[in-house]
Amino acid sequence: MSALSLKNLDVSYGETKVVHGVNLEVAEGESFALVGESGSGKSTILRAIAGLAPEWTGEISVLGKPRSHGVDRSVSRTVQMVFQDPYGSLHPRKTIDAALSEPLAIHGIGNRGERVEAVLAQVGLDQRFRFRFPHQLSGGQRQRVAIARALMLEPKVLLLDEPTSALDVSVQAEILNLLKRLRREQNLTFLMVTHNLPVVSFLCERLAVMRHGRIVEIADVAQLKQGELNEPYSRELLAATAGA
Ligand SMILES: Nc1ncnc2c1ncn2[C@@H]1O[C@H](COP(=O)(O)OP(=O)(O)O)[C@@H](O)[C@H]1O
Ligand SMILES: [Mg+2]
């Protein structure tokens, strides 16, 4: 069974269709990257899976279960999204404790304090951060909190939208190492948007190259590393980002 299955997925914003006929299977435990130029529809695919882009047609299945349009509680327990900007994704007047407890409260889950402590430890944050506010944390610490929040409901799949691109280069590797460790420890499946091909090689097994809302090629990371992408556009993208 696939962790994620997209069949003939179209996604629109109002009159404008921005994702066209996407087919994708991500296996359980796999880490899969979406790459491609800005505006090619990568984030929109993640949003449609997460229920944040409701105007879609086709089929989105999570662990074999087709998701409905709109709010789907079973999907939000199994699939969580981590956004690029940890400033924007954390409420400035809520403590870390409140931000982490909220998903549990929404889903009526108890033992919140214990769960918050456990997840802080999992993402490598000292317990003293628990009652602080986002502005008292560094960018990297905030992104750890955003990842912790995504883990609160013990999901199976993380949708990662450029999870390190808003961070200082010195902090990016720490977060990538954290994601790699969490995936191993918790048998997570990743679907990750990035424009950074070394990140794809570090964290993923396969990738899809997107252009103008369509997948132009699906390849293994081994092919990427050897520069053996087939489509001219993929090779262009590889050349443009080489050494970046
Ligand atoms: N909320 C929105 N309303 C209207 N158009 C949007 C919205 N979000 C994204 N778009 C458009 O959809 C297209 C795909 O965007 P996006 O999925 O964000 O691309 P990517 O993540 O690959 O940069 C772009 O043309 C973008 O301008
Ligand atoms: Mg995007």
Side-chain angles (χ1 to χ4, degrees), residues 226-237:
Q226 287 153 22
E228 285 174 2
L229 299 180
N230 290 317
E231 292 299 316
Y233 175 71
S234 309
R235 290 207 295 268
E236 228 177 85
L237 192 73

Side-chain angles (χ1 to χ4, degrees), residues 10-85:
D10 288 355
V11 191
S12 302
Y13 295 109
E15 297 294 299
T16 315
K17 192 187 283 189
V18 301
V19 169
H20 306 265
V22 162
N23 292 293
L24 191 63
E25 301 286 329
V26 180
E28 270 186 83
E30 189 177 22
S31 177
F32 194 101
L34 294 176
V35 306
E37 64 200 6
S38 178
S40 58
K42 306 179 297 294
S43 296
T44 298
I45 289 177
L46 300 196
R47 283 189 215 122
I49 297 167
L52 303 172
E55 297 173 77
W56 55 268
T57 61
E59 195 178 294
I60 299 174
S61 297
V62 178
L63 295 166
K65 264 190 65 187
R67 77 153 296 145
S68 59
H69 287 76
V71 179
D72 187 324
R73 283 225 166 168
S74 70
V75 169
S76 55
R77 285 203 63 162
T78 45
V79 182
Q80 286 285 317
M81 189 147 164
V82 174
F83 298 89
Q84 173 178 9
D85 175 15

